[in-house]
mmCIF file of all heavy atoms in Angstrom:
data_model
loop_
_atom_site.group_PDB
_atom_site.id
_atom_site.type_symbol
_atom_site.label_atom_id
_atom_site.label_comp_id
_atom_site.label_asym_id
_atom_site.label_seq_id
_atom_site.Cartn_x
_atom_site.Cartn_y
_atom_site.Cartn_z
ATOM 1 N N ALA A 1231 -19.819 9.253 13.167
ATOM 2 C CA ALA A 1231 -20.912 9.186 12.169
ATOM 3 C C ALA A 1231 -20.523 9.784 10.835
ATOM 4 O O ALA A 1231 -20.864 9.235 9.782
ATOM 5 C CB ALA A 1231 -22.140 9.885 12.724
ATOM 6 N N ILE A 1232 -19.818 10.876 10.860
ATOM 7 C CA ILE A 1232 -19.351 11.503 9.591
ATOM 8 C C ILE A 1232 -18.411 10.600 8.845
ATOM 9 O O ILE A 1232 -18.572 10.375 7.640
ATOM 10 C CB ILE A 1232 -18.736 12.877 9.888
ATOM 11 C CG1 ILE A 1232 -19.794 13.884 10.260
ATOM 12 C CG2 ILE A 1232 -17.940 13.362 8.656
ATOM 13 C CD1 ILE A 1232 -19.251 15.210 10.755
ATOM 14 N N PHE A 1233 -17.418 10.050 9.567
ATOM 15 C CA PHE A 1233 -16.457 9.195 8.859
ATOM 16 C C PHE A 1233 -17.084 7.879 8.415
ATOM 17 O O PHE A 1233 -16.627 7.278 7.429
ATOM 18 C CB PHE A 1233 -15.230 8.965 9.736
ATOM 19 C CG PHE A 1233 -14.337 10.153 9.806
ATOM 20 C CD1 PHE A 1233 -14.033 10.739 11.018
ATOM 21 C CD2 PHE A 1233 -13.811 10.724 8.680
ATOM 22 C CE1 PHE A 1233 -13.199 11.828 11.132
ATOM 23 C CE2 PHE A 1233 -12.999 11.846 8.746
ATOM 24 C CZ PHE A 1233 -12.723 12.407 9.990
ATOM 25 N N ALA A 1234 -18.061 7.385 9.140
ATOM 26 C CA ALA A 1234 -18.713 6.167 8.725
ATOM 27 C C ALA A 1234 -19.642 6.375 7.533
ATOM 28 O O ALA A 1234 -19.895 5.460 6.740
ATOM 29 C CB ALA A 1234 -19.555 5.589 9.887
ATOM 30 N N SER A 1235 -20.156 7.621 7.339
ATOM 31 C CA SER A 1235 -21.050 7.870 6.233
ATOM 32 C C SER A 1235 -20.315 8.131 4.919
ATOM 33 O O SER A 1235 -20.906 8.030 3.851
ATOM 34 C CB SER A 1235 -21.975 9.021 6.547
ATOM 35 O OG SER A 1235 -21.247 10.202 6.671
ATOM 36 N N LEU A 1236 -19.041 8.465 4.973
ATOM 37 C CA LEU A 1236 -18.309 8.790 3.740
ATOM 38 C C LEU A 1236 -18.279 7.565 2.768
ATOM 39 O O LEU A 1236 -18.520 7.772 1.584
ATOM 40 C CB LEU A 1236 -16.901 9.253 4.089
ATOM 41 C CG LEU A 1236 -16.842 10.673 4.685
ATOM 42 C CD1 LEU A 1236 -15.407 11.007 5.025
ATOM 43 C CD2 LEU A 1236 -17.393 11.700 3.749
ATOM 44 N N PRO A 1237 -17.949 6.340 3.230
ATOM 45 C CA PRO A 1237 -17.974 5.234 2.298
ATOM 46 C C PRO A 1237 -19.393 4.955 1.767
ATOM 47 O O PRO A 1237 -19.512 4.507 0.627
ATOM 48 C CB PRO A 1237 -17.494 4.041 3.090
ATOM 49 C CG PRO A 1237 -16.792 4.634 4.276
ATOM 50 C CD PRO A 1237 -17.393 5.948 4.524
ATOM 51 N N VAL A 1238 -20.404 5.213 2.531
ATOM 52 C CA VAL A 1238 -21.759 5.008 2.059
ATOM 53 C C VAL A 1238 -22.121 5.969 0.946
ATOM 54 O O VAL A 1238 -22.658 5.553 -0.096
ATOM 55 C CB VAL A 1238 -22.773 5.188 3.246
ATOM 56 C CG1 VAL A 1238 -24.193 5.125 2.758
ATOM 57 C CG2 VAL A 1238 -22.544 4.105 4.307
ATOM 58 N N PHE A 1239 -21.757 7.232 1.120
ATOM 59 C CA PHE A 1239 -21.949 8.219 0.036
ATOM 60 C C PHE A 1239 -21.152 7.863 -1.206
ATOM 61 O O PHE A 1239 -21.659 8.021 -2.325
ATOM 62 C CB PHE A 1239 -21.643 9.618 0.499
ATOM 63 C CG PHE A 1239 -22.643 10.190 1.410
ATOM 64 C CD1 PHE A 1239 -22.262 10.817 2.585
ATOM 65 C CD2 PHE A 1239 -23.990 10.156 1.141
ATOM 66 C CE1 PHE A 1239 -23.174 11.350 3.478
ATOM 67 C CE2 PHE A 1239 -24.928 10.705 2.004
ATOM 68 C CZ PHE A 1239 -24.526 11.299 3.157
ATOM 69 N N ALA A 1240 -19.931 7.411 -1.039
ATOM 70 C CA ALA A 1240 -19.134 7.018 -2.186
ATOM 71 C C ALA A 1240 -19.786 5.825 -2.882
ATOM 72 O O ALA A 1240 -19.788 5.782 -4.148
ATOM 73 C CB ALA A 1240 -17.727 6.674 -1.730
ATOM 74 N N ALA A 1241 -20.261 4.869 -2.175
ATOM 75 C CA ALA A 1241 -20.896 3.674 -2.778
ATOM 76 C C ALA A 1241 -22.180 4.070 -3.512
ATOM 77 O O ALA A 1241 -22.428 3.572 -4.614
ATOM 78 C CB ALA A 1241 -21.194 2.625 -1.708
ATOM 79 N N LEU A 1242 -22.976 4.971 -2.918
ATOM 80 C CA LEU A 1242 -24.167 5.439 -3.606
ATOM 81 C C LEU A 1242 -23.832 6.193 -4.905
ATOM 82 O O LEU A 1242 -24.496 6.066 -5.911
ATOM 83 C CB LEU A 1242 -24.994 6.310 -2.694
ATOM 84 C CG LEU A 1242 -25.715 5.585 -1.524
ATOM 85 C CD1 LEU A 1242 -26.342 6.596 -0.620
ATOM 86 C CD2 LEU A 1242 -26.694 4.604 -2.078
ATOM 87 N N TYR A 1243 -22.758 6.981 -4.862
ATOM 88 C CA TYR A 1243 -22.328 7.716 -6.064
ATOM 89 C C TYR A 1243 -21.884 6.723 -7.127
ATOM 90 O O TYR A 1243 -22.197 6.896 -8.316
ATOM 91 C CB TYR A 1243 -21.216 8.695 -5.710
ATOM 92 C CG TYR A 1243 -20.652 9.393 -6.922
ATOM 93 C CD1 TYR A 1243 -21.340 10.449 -7.486
ATOM 94 C CD2 TYR A 1243 -19.460 8.980 -7.502
ATOM 95 C CE1 TYR A 1243 -20.838 11.099 -8.612
ATOM 96 C CE2 TYR A 1243 -18.965 9.585 -8.614
ATOM 97 C CZ TYR A 1243 -19.652 10.677 -9.175
ATOM 98 O OH TYR A 1243 -19.155 11.303 -10.276
ATOM 99 N N LEU A 1244 -21.122 5.725 -6.751
ATOM 100 C CA LEU A 1244 -20.669 4.744 -7.731
ATOM 101 C C LEU A 1244 -21.849 3.976 -8.362
ATOM 102 O O LEU A 1244 -21.879 3.724 -9.545
ATOM 103 C CB LEU A 1244 -19.695 3.777 -7.100
ATOM 104 C CG LEU A 1244 -18.315 4.356 -6.771
ATOM 105 C CD1 LEU A 1244 -17.486 3.346 -5.999
ATOM 106 C CD2 LEU A 1244 -17.614 4.803 -8.008
ATOM 107 N N ALA A 1245 -22.842 3.634 -7.511
ATOM 108 C CA ALA A 1245 -24.023 2.926 -8.020
ATOM 109 C C ALA A 1245 -24.772 3.852 -8.986
ATOM 110 O O ALA A 1245 -25.252 3.407 -10.049
ATOM 111 C CB ALA A 1245 -24.901 2.498 -6.873
ATOM 112 N N LYS A 1246 -24.920 5.124 -8.649
ATOM 113 C CA LYS A 1246 -25.580 6.097 -9.524
ATOM 114 C C LYS A 1246 -24.898 6.223 -10.824
ATOM 115 O O LYS A 1246 -25.483 6.227 -11.888
ATOM 116 C CB LYS A 1246 -25.701 7.429 -8.822
ATOM 117 C CG LYS A 1246 -26.410 8.505 -9.645
ATOM 118 C CD LYS A 1246 -26.229 9.880 -9.075
ATOM 119 C CE LYS A 1246 -24.966 10.560 -9.479
ATOM 120 N NZ LYS A 1246 -24.766 10.873 -10.858
ATOM 121 N N ALA A 1247 -23.557 6.338 -10.757
ATOM 122 C CA ALA A 1247 -22.766 6.488 -11.971
ATOM 123 C C ALA A 1247 -22.811 5.211 -12.837
ATOM 124 O O ALA A 1247 -22.915 5.293 -14.055
ATOM 125 C CB ALA A 1247 -21.310 6.821 -11.617
ATOM 126 N N ALA A 1248 -22.788 4.048 -12.183
ATOM 127 C CA ALA A 1248 -22.852 2.788 -12.933
ATOM 128 C C ALA A 1248 -24.195 2.583 -13.628
ATOM 129 O O ALA A 1248 -24.278 2.022 -14.732
ATOM 130 C CB ALA A 1248 -22.591 1.627 -12.023
ATOM 131 N N LEU A 1249 -25.277 3.061 -12.994
ATOM 132 C CA LEU A 1249 -26.598 2.917 -13.618
ATOM 133 C C LEU A 1249 -26.863 4.019 -14.618
ATOM 134 O O LEU A 1249 -27.844 3.937 -15.353
ATOM 135 C CB LEU A 1249 -27.660 2.970 -12.507
ATOM 136 C CG LEU A 1249 -27.688 1.782 -11.560
ATOM 137 C CD1 LEU A 1249 -28.645 2.032 -10.417
ATOM 138 C CD2 LEU A 1249 -28.050 0.541 -12.305
ATOM 139 N N GLY A 1250 -26.036 5.058 -14.653
ATOM 140 C CA GLY A 1250 -26.233 6.137 -15.612
ATOM 141 C C GLY A 1250 -27.326 7.094 -15.235
ATOM 142 O O GLY A 1250 -27.973 7.687 -16.078
ATOM 143 N N VAL A 1251 -27.618 7.213 -13.953
ATOM 144 C CA VAL A 1251 -28.685 8.092 -13.479
ATOM 145 C C VAL A 1251 -28.159 9.508 -13.373
ATOM 146 O O VAL A 1251 -27.158 9.759 -12.711
ATOM 147 C CB VAL A 1251 -29.201 7.616 -12.096
ATOM 148 C CG1 VAL A 1251 -30.249 8.577 -11.548
ATOM 149 C CG2 VAL A 1251 -29.753 6.206 -12.186
ATOM 150 N N ASN A 1252 -28.849 10.448 -14.015
ATOM 151 C CA ASN A 1252 -28.495 11.868 -13.886
ATOM 152 C C ASN A 1252 -29.561 12.571 -13.080
ATOM 153 O O ASN A 1252 -30.725 12.619 -13.488
ATOM 154 C CB ASN A 1252 -28.392 12.498 -15.280
ATOM 155 C CG ASN A 1252 -27.190 12.007 -16.016
ATOM 156 O OD1 ASN A 1252 -26.157 11.721 -15.459
ATOM 157 N ND2 ASN A 1252 -27.333 11.863 -17.335
ATOM 158 N N LEU A 1253 -29.189 13.086 -11.924
ATOM 159 C CA LEU A 1253 -30.108 13.769 -11.060
ATOM 160 C C LEU A 1253 -30.281 15.252 -11.417
ATOM 161 O O LEU A 1253 -31.271 15.861 -11.047
ATOM 162 C CB LEU A 1253 -29.701 13.654 -9.604
ATOM 163 C CG LEU A 1253 -29.586 12.222 -9.107
ATOM 164 C CD1 LEU A 1253 -29.058 12.191 -7.676
ATOM 165 C CD2 LEU A 1253 -30.923 11.510 -9.151
ATOM 166 N N MET A 1254 -29.295 15.811 -12.104
ATOM 167 C CA MET A 1254 -29.362 17.225 -12.532
ATOM 168 C C MET A 1254 -28.556 17.376 -13.789
ATOM 169 O O MET A 1254 -27.752 16.498 -14.148
ATOM 170 C CB MET A 1254 -28.796 18.137 -11.400
ATOM 171 C CG MET A 1254 -27.337 17.858 -11.055
ATOM 172 S SD MET A 1254 -26.679 18.823 -9.739
ATOM 173 C CE MET A 1254 -27.542 18.206 -8.361
ATOM 174 N N SER A 1255 -28.817 18.440 -14.500
ATOM 175 C CA SER A 1255 -28.034 18.675 -15.731
ATOM 176 C C SER A 1255 -26.639 19.084 -15.402
ATOM 177 O O SER A 1255 -26.398 19.772 -14.390
ATOM 178 C CB SER A 1255 -28.757 19.750 -16.571
ATOM 179 O OG SER A 1255 -28.715 20.980 -15.870
ATOM 180 N N GLY A 1256 -25.720 18.653 -16.170
ATOM 181 C CA GLY A 1256 -24.279 18.930 -15.907
ATOM 182 C C GLY A 1256 -23.684 17.944 -14.938
ATOM 183 O O GLY A 1256 -24.336 16.996 -14.537
ATOM 184 N N PRO A 1257 -22.427 18.157 -14.591
ATOM 185 C CA PRO A 1257 -21.770 17.237 -13.664
ATOM 186 C C PRO A 1257 -22.330 17.346 -12.241
ATOM 187 O O PRO A 1257 -22.786 18.393 -11.815
ATOM 188 C CB PRO A 1257 -20.292 17.611 -13.755
ATOM 189 C CG PRO A 1257 -20.318 19.037 -14.177
ATOM 190 C CD PRO A 1257 -21.532 19.190 -15.033
#
Side-chain angles (χ1 to χ4, degrees):
I1232 287 171
F1233 286 122
S1235 67
L1236 289 176
V1238 173
F1239 286 131
L1242 289 173
Y1243 176 78
L1244 288 175
K1246 180 192 84 63
L1249 292 172
V1251 176
N1252 290 326
L1253 300 176
M1254 60 182 70
S1255 63

